[in-house]
Amino acid sequence: MGPGMCSTEIPKTPIFQYNALVMIPKDLLEILVCPACKQALEYREKPESLKCKQCHRVYAVKDDIPIMLVEEATIES
């Protein structure tokens, strides 16, 4: 090692292995339910959102935070 060089190296791979496409933690996804009908939600990537399998409400995810307000949800068939 030459003068002025630091022995600390930046790791080439991240320390935490996580699917970058899914920013909502898996354990949170497992406990979230639709606030309208209390049924399971399905994660969707594009656009990032959560869709209720029962009432078809779609809750947007903004800045990695699910917006779980019934009045903000859209309804898809």
Side-chain angles (χ1 to χ4, degrees):
M1 190 164 31
M5 298 186 85
C6 181
S7 64
T8 305
E9 291 185 28
I10 299 173
K12 293 182 178 91
T13 58
I15 295 170
F16 301 104
Q17 297 298 321
Y18 190 72
N19 183 350
L21 296 175
V22 179
M23 297 305 295
I24 302 172
K26 184 179 178 183
D27 56 340
L28 178 59
L29 286 173
E30 290 173 356
I31 62 171
L32 279 177
V33 295
C34 175
C37 67
K38 311 296 187 245
Q39 297 300 310
L41 296 168
E42 170 184 80
Y43 178 79
R44 301 188 320 173
E45 291 180 21
K46 298 195 186 215
E48 190 175 19
S49 58
L50 298 170
K51 183 175 180 180
C52 178
K53 296 177 182 181
Q54 180 69 33
C55 69
H56 306 284
R57 282 182 172 82
V58 178
Y59 300 93
V61 176
K62 297 179 183 173
D63 298 323
D64 302 327
I65 300 170
I67 310 301
M68 303 300 293
L69 301 171
V70 174
E71 57 273 4
E72 299 261 339
T74 58
I75 298 177
E76 291 183 358
S77 52

